[in-house]
Structures are given as C-alpha cells and as structure tokens.
C-alpha cells in the first residue's frame, strides 16, 4: 500500500460579529474560496467553523447542513466542515489555541493511519 500523498490542514474560521445572518452564506463562500485558492494540489483542509448562536438560530440546522455540504461539494480541497456553535466571538489567543490543538489532533490521526498502513504491509508479507 502506498503512503498517502496528501497533506491535511485545519483552518479555523469564526464568523465576525459584523456579519449578519443574511450575509453569512456569502461570507462563508468567500472564505471557502480563499482556502481553496491557497490550497496546494495534494492538500485537503478540515474547516472548523465557529458559528455564533445567533446565526444558527436564524438559519436552522437543516439549512446549515445544506450550506456546509454545498461548500464541500464546490471546493474539492475542503475535505469537511465541522461546525461548533459559540455564544461569543473568539479572540486571537483562543483561535491560536484551537488551531494548535487541531493540528495536534490531525497529527495523531495521521500517525494512526501510518501505523495501520505499516501493520497491513507487515501482515501482507507474512502471507
């Protein structure tokens, strides 16, 4: 089995307080486009969207699911969108901490995949 030739990244987005519920889909599409345009050919991004409760309430879960799915459908470098509802906007320190923790979590996942691949290769050599 070949090693994965893909680089994974995590991008943390928080909806600014000046973005209204009506402006939210356009804002999200612009942010997603920027991530897509900055992506390298062999990269995939997990987008962690910290969404203000006021926007979630205005949109509802079903409409949000459709919007988030449309983002992953339209932008091939965005692997998935994870949504976390928050009451207050995050400050820069909180964003940096979340980004750091996300990168550590991603590194652990990739290490697990690597170990699984190595185990599978070792087992195939025994047969």
């Amino acid at each position: 089995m070949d090693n994965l030739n893909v680089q994974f990244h995590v991008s943390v987005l928080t909806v600014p307080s000046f973005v209204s519920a009506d402006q939210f889909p356009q804002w999200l599409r612009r942010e997603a486009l920027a991530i897509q345009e900055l992506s390298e050919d062999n990269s995939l991004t997990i987008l962690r969207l910290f969404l203000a409760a006021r926007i979630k309430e205005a949109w509802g879960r079903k409409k949000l699911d459709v919007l988030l799915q449309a983002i992953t459908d339209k932008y091939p470098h965005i692997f998935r969108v994870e949504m976390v509802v928050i009451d207050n906007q995050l400050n820069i320190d909180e964003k940096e901490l979340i980004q750091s923790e996300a990168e550590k979590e991603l590194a652990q996942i990739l290490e697990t995949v690597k170990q699984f691949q190595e185990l599978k290769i070792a087992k195939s050599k025994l047969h």
Side-chain angles (χ1 to χ4, degrees):
M1 175 181 247
D2 293 336
N3 286 335
L4 292 175
N5 189 22
V6 177
Q7 294 180 357
F8 284 92
H9 305 279
V10 178
S11 289
V12 175
L13 285 181
T14 59
V15 182
S17 58
F18 61 83
V19 173
S20 71
D22 291 340
Q23 296 168 326
F24 170 65
Q26 293 83 14
W27 174 86
L28 182 59
R29 288 184 195 107
R30 279 193 308 270
E31 294 294 320
L33 177 61
I35 291 168
Q36 175 71 25
E37 289 178 343
L38 292 172
S39 297
E40 296 178 18
D41 287 344
N42 66 334
S43 69
L44 293 174
T45 299
I46 297 169
L47 179 57
R48 288 214 170 135
L49 175 64
F50 287 81
L51 185 68
R54 65 182 172 80
I55 293 178
K56 181 182 183 288
E57 290 167 9
W59 270 75
R61 184 65 192 206
K62 196 171 220 174
K63 285 172 117 180
L64 280 171
D65 286 345
V66 170
L67 177 62
L68 300 183
Q69 184 61 50
I71 294 295
T72 59
D73 290 346
K74 184 172 182 174
Y75 302 107
H77 288 285
I78 298 178
F79 180 65
R80 81 172 180 240
V81 180
E82 301 173 348
M83 183 178 66
V84 179
V85 178
I86 57 173
D87 291 326
N88 300 313
Q89 192 167 343
L90 300 174
N91 66 38
I92 192 72
D93 290 338
E94 291 169 322
K95 287 181 191 179
E96 288 176 357
L97 179 61
I98 289 166
Q99 183 74 39
S100 174
E101 289 173 353
E103 294 292 341
K104 287 177 189 172
E105 180 183 321
L106 187 55
Q108 289 172 339
I109 291 169
L110 292 175
E111 183 60 29
T112 301
V113 168
K114 181 181 172 189
Q115 290 171 357
F116 174 77
Q117 288 176 325
E118 290 170 356
L119 182 61
K120 194 169 182 178
I121 290 169
K123 283 184 178 181
S124 70
K125 289 180 180 178
L126 293 175
H127 295 285

XYZ file of all heavy atoms in Angstrom, residues 15-98:
693
model
N -17.110 33.488 12.588
C -17.907 34.481 11.891
C -17.793 35.803 12.653
O -18.130 35.860 13.836
C -19.381 34.038 11.800
C -20.195 35.062 11.031
C -19.490 32.666 11.152
N -17.303 36.851 12.004
C -17.182 38.137 12.689
C -18.549 38.665 13.145
O -19.569 38.379 12.517
C -16.582 39.064 11.621
C -16.014 38.159 10.589
C -16.813 36.907 10.624
N -18.534 39.433 14.198
C -19.789 39.943 14.761
C -20.533 40.859 13.795
O -21.750 40.967 13.867
C -19.529 40.659 16.083
O -18.618 41.718 15.876
N -19.826 41.499 12.862
C -20.494 42.398 11.923
C -21.219 41.656 10.789
O -21.970 42.259 10.031
C -19.517 43.426 11.338
C -18.389 42.814 10.558
C -18.548 42.437 9.234
C -17.147 42.621 11.160
C -17.498 41.879 8.514
C -16.087 42.068 10.443
C -16.264 41.698 9.128
N -21.018 40.342 10.663
C -21.693 39.560 9.624
C -23.070 39.160 10.136
O -23.200 38.486 11.153
C -20.862 38.310 9.245
C -21.637 37.412 8.291
C -19.530 38.716 8.637
N -24.085 39.584 9.398
C -25.460 39.251 9.787
C -25.811 37.851 9.290
O -25.100 37.264 8.459
C -26.430 40.268 9.195
O -26.522 40.090 7.788
N -26.922 37.345 9.775
C -27.382 36.020 9.335
C -27.627 36.006 7.832
O -27.346 35.012 7.157
C -28.645 35.631 10.097
N -28.131 37.116 7.280
C -28.371 37.198 5.834
C -27.067 37.223 5.034
O -27.017 36.728 3.910
C -29.184 38.452 5.498
C -30.621 38.368 5.996
O -31.114 37.248 6.260
O -31.249 39.435 6.134
N -26.024 37.808 5.608
C -24.730 37.914 4.924
C -23.876 36.655 5.085
O -22.901 36.467 4.363
C -23.942 39.102 5.486
C -24.575 40.442 5.262
C -23.899 41.532 6.082
O -23.433 41.289 7.193
N -23.852 42.735 5.522
N -24.246 35.808 6.029
C -23.426 34.647 6.380
C -23.078 33.748 5.191
O -21.901 33.401 5.012
C -24.096 33.841 7.495
C -23.446 32.528 7.759
C -22.141 32.464 8.258
C -24.108 31.344 7.480
C -21.527 31.249 8.487
C -23.502 30.123 7.711
C -22.213 30.072 8.208
N -24.032 33.331 4.343
C -23.637 32.416 3.256
C -22.623 33.031 2.295
O -21.678 32.349 1.883
C -24.945 32.092 2.537
C -25.973 32.986 3.097
C -25.458 33.586 4.357
N -22.760 34.313 1.974
C -21.788 34.958 1.088
C -20.420 35.033 1.763
O -19.391 34.806 1.124
C -22.257 36.373 0.698
C -23.492 36.400 -0.183
C -24.792 36.284 0.612
O -24.818 36.431 1.833
N -25.875 35.996 -0.082
N -20.402 35.360 3.040
C -19.146 35.435 3.782
C -18.456 34.070 3.789
O -17.260 33.956 3.512
C -19.415 35.909 5.223
C -18.189 35.868 6.086
C -17.244 36.838 6.206
C -17.768 34.788 6.927
N -16.255 36.419 7.078
C -16.555 35.172 7.532
C -18.306 33.542 7.232
C -15.868 34.347 8.410
C -17.622 32.713 8.107
C -16.409 33.118 8.691
N -19.226 33.028 4.086
C -18.659 31.675 4.144
C -18.131 31.239 2.781
O -17.048 30.660 2.691
C -19.694 30.674 4.665
C -19.204 29.240 4.809
C -18.022 29.156 5.768
C -20.335 28.332 5.270
N -18.855 31.532 1.725
C -18.385 31.177 0.376
C -17.083 31.898 0.029
O -16.189 31.308 -0.572
C -19.469 31.468 -0.663
C -20.618 30.496 -0.598
C -21.633 30.749 -1.716
N -22.874 30.057 -1.419
C -23.997 30.653 -1.024
N -24.057 31.970 -0.911
N -25.074 29.951 -0.774
N -16.970 33.172 0.417
C -15.719 33.920 0.159
C -14.554 33.304 0.926
O -13.452 33.157 0.391
C -15.883 35.389 0.548
C -16.578 36.242 -0.483
C -16.434 37.732 -0.207
N -16.810 38.117 1.142
C -18.034 38.478 1.528
N -19.016 38.504 0.661
N -18.273 38.820 2.783
N -14.790 32.953 2.181
C -13.737 32.333 2.989
C -13.336 30.977 2.406
O -12.151 30.649 2.334
C -14.197 32.178 4.441
C -14.417 33.488 5.164
C -13.145 34.287 5.373
O -12.098 33.689 5.681
O -13.194 35.521 5.237
N -14.314 30.190 2.007
C -14.042 28.869 1.426
C -13.267 29.008 0.119
O -12.328 28.240 -0.143
C -15.349 28.106 1.212
N -13.635 29.976 -0.698
C -12.918 30.222 -1.950
C -11.465 30.586 -1.675
O -10.551 30.105 -2.348
C -13.608 31.325 -2.762
C -12.911 31.731 -4.062
C -12.801 30.554 -5.028
C -13.643 32.903 -4.704
N -11.233 31.419 -0.661
C -9.860 31.800 -0.306
C -9.051 30.577 0.125
O -7.893 30.412 -0.273
C -9.876 32.851 0.808
N -9.659 29.707 0.921
C -8.975 28.471 1.343
C -8.676 27.600 0.125
O -7.575 27.070 -0.022
C -9.819 27.713 2.384
C -9.847 28.506 3.701
C -9.294 26.296 2.607
C -10.868 28.018 4.707
N -9.650 27.468 -0.760
C -9.479 26.672 -1.978
C -8.332 27.206 -2.824
O -7.486 26.455 -3.287
C -10.789 26.677 -2.780
C -10.719 25.983 -4.118
C -10.612 24.485 -4.025
O -11.025 23.883 -3.053
N -10.036 23.873 -5.039
N -8.294 28.514 -3.012
C -7.268 29.121 -3.868
C -5.867 29.021 -3.273
O -4.890 28.979 -4.004
C -7.622 30.580 -4.156
C -8.810 30.706 -5.094
C -9.224 32.141 -5.361
O -8.816 33.049 -4.595
O -9.975 32.348 -6.330
N -5.766 28.964 -1.945
C -4.458 28.848 -1.294
C -3.985 27.399 -1.156
O -2.841 27.157 -0.793
C -4.501 29.499 0.094
C -4.660 31.023 0.091
C -4.887 31.530 1.517
C -3.448 31.697 -0.540
N -4.854 26.468 -1.457
C -4.531 25.045 -1.279
C -3.595 24.546 -2.366
O -3.702 24.939 -3.530
C -5.808 24.205 -1.301
O -6.639 24.542 -0.231
N -2.700 23.664 -1.961
C -1.827 23.002 -2.927
C -2.580 21.819 -3.524
O -3.578 21.354 -2.968
C -0.553 22.534 -2.223
C 0.271 23.690 -1.690
C 1.515 23.231 -0.959
O 1.933 22.074 -1.133
O 2.072 24.051 -0.216
N -2.083 21.305 -4.642
C -2.779 20.234 -5.346
C -3.043 19.004 -4.481
O -4.075 18.376 -4.603
C -1.992 19.809 -6.590
C -2.081 20.853 -7.696
O -2.965 21.724 -7.623
O -1.250 20.795 -8.615
N -2.088 18.665 -3.635
C -2.215 17.431 -2.849
C -2.652 17.705 -1.413
O -2.306 16.966 -0.502
C -0.891 16.668 -2.853
C 0.200 17.437 -2.118
O 0.168 18.648 -2.026
N 1.172 16.709 -1.609
N -3.426 18.762 -1.194
C -3.823 19.076 0.174
C -5.335 19.037 0.351
O -6.095 19.302 -0.584
C -3.290 20.449 0.587
O -3.954 21.468 -0.132
N -5.722 18.686 1.550
C -7.123 18.695 1.953
C -7.220 19.468 3.261
O -6.360 19.351 4.123
C -7.650 17.271 2.155
C -7.749 16.403 0.905
C -8.136 14.985 1.279
C -8.754 16.984 -0.083
N -8.284 20.227 3.393
C -8.472 21.060 4.577
C -9.734 20.647 5.318
O -10.782 20.449 4.707
C -8.583 22.547 4.183
O -7.372 22.936 3.534
C -8.824 23.434 5.387
N -9.593 20.536 6.624
C -10.741 20.389 7.503
C -11.046 21.785 8.014
O -10.181 22.435 8.594
C -10.452 19.428 8.666
C -10.161 18.027 8.122
C -11.624 19.407 9.658
C -9.612 17.062 9.154
N -12.225 22.247 7.760
C -12.618 23.597 8.136
C -13.408 23.530 9.441
O -14.445 22.883 9.498
C -13.470 24.198 7.025
C -14.013 25.595 7.197
C -12.892 26.593 7.447
C -14.803 25.986 5.966
N -12.879 24.148 10.485
C -13.592 24.235 11.766
C -14.250 25.600 11.828
O -13.587 26.616 11.963
C -12.644 24.044 12.936
C -12.204 22.611 13.041
C -12.008 22.171 14.461
N -11.815 20.725 14.469
C -10.899 20.111 15.160
N -10.099 20.783 15.950
N -10.795 18.799 15.113
N -15.552 25.594 11.714
C -16.342 26.813 11.684
C -16.961 27.051 13.051
O -17.782 26.266 13.510
C -17.438 26.701 10.626
C -18.435 27.844 10.539
C -17.737 29.134 10.122
C -19.549 27.486 9.578
N -16.529 28.126 13.700
C -17.106 28.522 14.982
C -18.201 29.533 14.677
O -17.939 30.667 14.285
C -16.021 29.077 15.914
C -15.142 27.986 16.427
C -14.107 27.491 15.654
C -15.376 27.421 17.673
C -13.302 26.457 16.113
C -14.572 26.393 18.136
C -13.538 25.904 17.359
N -19.427 29.062 14.822
C -20.602 29.806 14.378
C -21.340 30.408 15.564
O -21.636 29.705 16.536
C -21.533 28.840 13.626
C -22.756 29.437 12.979
C -22.356 30.337 11.812
C -23.677 28.335 12.483
N -21.631 31.698 15.456
C -22.383 32.376 16.509
C -23.780 31.770 16.619
O -24.424 31.473 15.606
C -22.473 33.865 16.193
N -24.219 31.603 17.843
C -25.543 31.027 18.094
C -26.633 31.823 17.376
O -27.601 31.250 16.873
C -25.812 30.970 19.599
N -26.451 33.139 17.270
C -27.458 33.987 16.614
C -27.652 33.589 15.149
O -28.769 33.636 14.627
C -27.067 35.464 16.736
C -25.791 35.811 16.004
C -25.357 37.279 16.160
N -24.042 37.495 15.599
C -23.776 37.650 14.307
N -24.756 37.641 13.441
N -22.545 37.825 13.883
N -26.591 33.156 14.493
C -26.700 32.747 13.091
C -27.320 31.359 12.999
O -28.175 31.108 12.156
C -25.334 32.822 12.384
C -24.911 34.286 12.293
C -25.395 32.179 11.006
C -23.568 34.530 11.678
N -26.915 30.469 13.882
C -27.510 29.123 13.870
C -29.017 29.199 14.095
O -29.789 28.521 13.413
C -26.879 28.227 14.919
C -27.464 26.811 14.896
C -26.865 25.945 15.965
C -27.398 24.542 15.890
N -28.775 24.410 16.322
N -29.422 30.030 15.021
C -30.854 30.168 15.303
C -31.597 30.737 14.098
O -32.707 30.311 13.791
C -31.063 31.055 16.529
C -30.613 30.387 17.817
C -30.508 31.352 18.988
O -30.939 32.515 18.876
O -29.976 30.931 20.036
N -30.992 31.680 13.407
C -31.629 32.298 12.243
C -31.720 31.334 11.062
O -32.664 31.386 10.276
C -30.874 33.556 11.838
N -30.734 30.458 10.950
C -30.671 29.561 9.800
C -31.342 28.216 10.034
O -31.909 27.644 9.119
C -29.209 29.341 9.408
C -28.775 30.362 8.420
C -28.483 31.662 8.666
C -28.638 30.177 7.027
N -28.157 32.302 7.513
C -28.245 31.414 6.485
C -28.809 29.101 6.193
C -28.019 31.585 5.124
C -28.569 29.265 4.843
C -28.181 30.497 4.328
N -31.201 27.655 11.207
C -31.725 26.314 11.456
C -30.755 25.250 10.971
O -29.968 25.470 10.044
N -30.804 24.104 11.602
C -29.844 23.033 11.339
C -29.904 22.504 9.907
O -28.878 22.293 9.262
C -30.073 21.894 12.350
C -29.081 20.758 12.252
C -27.708 21.245 12.619
N -26.706 20.275 12.261
C -25.543 20.167 12.857
N -25.230 20.976 13.830
N -24.677 19.278 12.469
N -31.096 22.290 9.391
C -31.233 21.702 8.059
C -30.655 22.616 6.975
O -29.906 22.166 6.106
C -32.704 21.397 7.781
C -32.928 20.469 6.628
C -34.374 20.052 6.544
C -34.424 18.593 6.171
N -35.754 18.048 6.189
N -30.957 23.910 7.029
C -30.424 24.854 6.048
C -28.902 24.966 6.168
O -28.202 25.074 5.162
C -31.068 26.229 6.235
C -32.483 26.327 5.725
C -33.066 27.663 6.141
C -33.412 28.508 4.962
N -33.978 29.820 5.372
N -28.405 24.948 7.411
C -26.949 24.992 7.608
C -26.279 23.762 7.029
O -25.230 23.861 6.385
C -26.619 25.110 9.098
C -26.742 26.500 9.690
C -26.608 26.437 11.212
C -25.709 27.442 9.111
N -26.873 22.585 7.252
C -26.306 21.352 6.696
C -26.207 21.432 5.179
O -25.200 21.028 4.591
C -27.138 20.136 7.109
C -26.948 19.750 8.565
O -25.980 20.233 9.197
O -27.773 18.964 9.078
N -27.246 21.958 4.539
C -27.237 22.094 3.080
C -26.129 23.054 2.637
O -25.383 22.767 1.697
C -28.628 22.568 2.573
C -28.578 22.961 1.105
C -29.672 21.476 2.797
N -25.994 24.190 3.335
C -24.956 25.162 3.003
C -23.561 24.574 3.178
O -22.704 24.711 2.297
C -25.108 26.412 3.877
C -24.045 27.496 3.700
C -24.051 28.051 2.279
C -24.244 28.600 4.716
N -23.324 23.889 4.292
C -21.999 23.316 4.549
C -21.684 22.212 3.548
O -20.540 22.088 3.087
C -21.906 22.812 5.989
C -22.121 23.875 7.075
C -21.942 23.263 8.454
C -21.216 25.077 6.884
N -22.674 21.403 3.189
C -22.459 20.356 2.183
C -22.125 20.985 0.832
O -21.263 20.484 0.102
C -23.692 19.450 2.062
C -23.498 18.296 1.103
C -22.377 17.357 1.514
O -22.334 16.919 2.649
N -21.466 17.052 0.604
N -22.785 22.094 0.505
C -22.505 22.785 -0.760
C -21.059 23.278 -0.810
O -20.435 23.268 -1.873
C -23.480 23.943 -0.949
N -20.521 23.675 0.341
C -19.124 24.123 0.401
C -18.181 22.966 0.048
O -17.275 23.118 -0.774
C -18.788 24.701 1.793
C -19.585 25.983 2.068
C -17.290 24.928 1.968
C -19.268 27.150 1.167
N -18.395 21.806 0.666
C -17.505 20.667 0.375
C -17.719 20.148 -1.043
O -16.781 19.629 -1.657
C -17.672 19.525 1.393
O -19.027 19.077 1.378
C -17.289 19.972 2.786
N -18.924 20.281 -1.573
C -19.178 19.853 -2.952
C -18.491 20.775 -3.961
O -17.955 20.316 -4.962
C -20.679 19.824 -3.245
C -21.416 18.715 -2.514
O -20.753 17.790 -1.983
O -22.662 18.784 -2.445
N -18.501 22.071 -3.692
C -17.971 23.052 -4.644
C -16.455 23.180 -4.591
O -15.810 23.427 -5.610
C -18.612 24.420 -4.378
C -18.200 25.467 -5.376
C -18.983 26.745 -5.219
C -18.562 27.736 -6.294
N -19.387 28.930 -6.283
N -15.881 23.025 -3.405
C -14.444 23.243 -3.232
C -13.749 21.928 -2.886
O -13.788 21.486 -1.747
C -14.200 24.299 -2.144
C -14.883 25.610 -2.462
C -16.012 26.017 -1.771
C -14.409 26.424 -3.493
C -16.653 27.223 -2.081
C -15.043 27.613 -3.811
C -16.158 28.002 -3.106
O -16.779 29.174 -3.421
N -13.118 21.292 -3.862
C -12.557 19.947 -3.655
C -11.447 19.861 -2.612
O -11.201 18.788 -2.076
C -12.045 19.554 -5.042
C -11.968 20.808 -5.825
C -12.936 21.773 -5.230
N -10.788 20.979 -2.302
C -9.729 20.920 -1.294
C -10.272 21.034 0.131
O -9.515 20.861 1.086
C -8.674 22.011 -1.544
C -7.831 21.723 -2.743
N -6.835 20.783 -2.751
C -7.859 22.244 -3.995
C -6.276 20.734 -3.947
N -6.886 21.610 -4.718
N -11.551 21.319 0.262
C -12.167 21.347 1.594
C -12.784 19.981 1.830
O -13.802 19.625 1.236
C -13.185 22.490 1.734
C -12.463 23.830 1.546
C -13.876 22.416 3.097
C -13.348 25.054 1.619
N -12.107 19.222 2.668
C -12.462 17.826 2.929
C -13.769 17.724 3.705
O -14.630 16.923 3.397
C -11.313 17.165 3.694
C -11.532 15.730 4.044
C -11.635 14.768 3.061
C -11.619 15.349 5.372
C -11.830 13.434 3.387
C -11.806 14.019 5.711
C -11.911 13.066 4.708
N -13.894 18.540 4.748
C -15.135 18.574 5.518
C -15.202 19.863 6.315
O -14.199 20.523 6.536
C -15.292 17.347 6.397
C -14.541 17.361 7.694
C -14.940 16.158 8.570
N -14.187 16.232 9.785
C -13.351 15.321 10.207
N -13.163 14.224 9.517
N -12.698 15.474 11.331
N -16.423 20.179 6.732
C -16.657 21.358 7.557
C -17.234 20.872 8.881
O -18.226 20.149 8.903
C -17.643 22.345 6.888
C -17.870 23.560 7.786
C -17.142 22.773 5.514
N -16.570 21.251 9.955
C -17.050 20.937 11.303
C -17.579 22.228 11.905
O -16.905 23.249 11.885
C -15.915 20.403 12.180
C -15.269 19.166 11.631
C -14.033 18.739 12.412
O -13.523 19.520 13.245
O -13.579 17.619 12.161
N -18.793 22.172 12.436
C -19.402 23.371 12.991
C -19.467 23.272 14.509
O -19.880 22.260 15.051
C -20.816 23.537 12.431
C -21.505 24.794 12.882
S -23.143 24.981 12.161
C -24.004 23.609 12.909
N -19.039 24.358 15.159
C -19.123 24.477 16.610
C -19.877 25.775 16.889
O -19.482 26.836 16.417
C -17.723 24.525 17.262
C -17.827 24.680 18.766
C -16.912 23.288 16.887
N -20.970 25.667 17.637
C -21.761 26.854 17.948
C -21.198 27.502 19.212
O -20.939 26.821 20.208
C -23.254 26.484 18.143
C -24.067 27.718 18.507
C -23.805 25.832 16.881
N -20.990 28.817 19.129
C -20.433 29.567 20.262
C -21.340 30.762 20.571
O -22.068 31.241 19.702
C -18.995 30.056 19.982
C -18.940 30.919 18.712
C -18.039 28.888 19.885
C -17.604 31.567 18.455
N -21.269 31.226 21.800
C -22.064 32.383 22.203
C -21.350 33.699 21.898
O -21.974 34.678 21.525
C -22.385 32.320 23.703
C -23.363 31.193 24.008
O -24.236 30.915 23.171
O -23.232 30.583 25.082
N -20.047 33.717 22.084
C -19.267 34.945 21.895
C -18.178 34.718 20.859
O -17.690 33.604 20.686
C -18.618 35.377 23.211
C -19.649 35.652 24.280
O -20.637 36.339 24.050
N -19.439 35.092 25.463
N -17.771 35.791 20.210
C -16.698 35.715 19.229
C -15.390 35.345 19.923
O -15.126 35.789 21.041
C -16.560 37.060 18.523
C -15.681 36.995 17.302
C -15.810 38.245 16.448
O -16.748 39.016 16.585
N -14.847 38.443 15.573
N -14.573 34.521 19.268
C -13.290 34.109 19.827
C -12.255 35.206 19.653
O -12.216 35.870 18.619
C -12.792 32.842 19.124
C -13.687 31.611 19.211
C -13.119 30.507 18.332
C -13.824 31.135 20.635
N -11.379 35.353 20.658
C -10.276 36.305 20.494
C -9.097 35.579 19.831
O -9.123 34.365 19.631
C -9.892 36.948 21.838
C -9.315 35.949 22.825
O -8.571 35.041 22.464
N -9.654 36.119 24.094
N -8.060 36.309 19.504
C -6.925 35.747 18.757
C -6.229 34.624 19.526
O -5.827 33.621 18.934
C -5.933 36.850 18.312
C -4.918 36.301 17.297
C -5.228 37.473 19.486
C -5.491 36.018 15.950
N -6.091 34.758 20.840
C -5.453 33.706 21.634
C -6.272 32.420 21.598
O -5.718 31.323 21.491
C -5.258 34.156 23.088
C -4.201 35.244 23.223
O -3.344 35.361 22.315
O -4.233 35.987 24.218
N -7.583 32.551 21.687
C -8.447 31.369 21.629
C -8.354 30.706 20.258
O -8.291 29.483 20.159
C -9.903 31.758 21.933
C -10.125 32.165 23.374
C -11.485 32.806 23.608
O -11.963 33.577 22.731
O -12.070 32.549 24.673
N -8.317 31.509 19.200
C -8.182 30.960 17.845
C -6.859 30.211 17.696
O -6.818 29.123 17.119
C -8.257 32.071 16.798
C -9.630 32.633 16.590
C -9.561 33.698 15.512
C -10.836 34.492 15.437
N -10.773 35.544 14.419
N -5.779 30.802 18.199
C -4.468 30.160 18.089
C -4.426 28.851 18.869
O -3.848 27.864 18.405
C -3.373 31.106 18.566
C -3.116 32.237 17.597
C -2.104 33.248 18.091
O -1.608 33.127 19.237
O -1.803 34.185 17.324
N -5.040 28.820 20.049
C -5.093 27.599 20.841
C -5.897 26.523 20.113
O -5.475 25.366 20.036
C -5.706 27.878 22.225
C -5.839 26.673 23.146
C -4.472 26.051 23.446
C -6.542 27.065 24.439
N -7.028 26.896 19.567
C -7.861 25.945 18.818
C -7.097 25.419 17.608
O -7.115 24.216 17.324
C -9.190 26.608 18.396
C -10.067 26.823 19.635
C -9.913 25.783 17.349
C -11.241 27.748 19.408
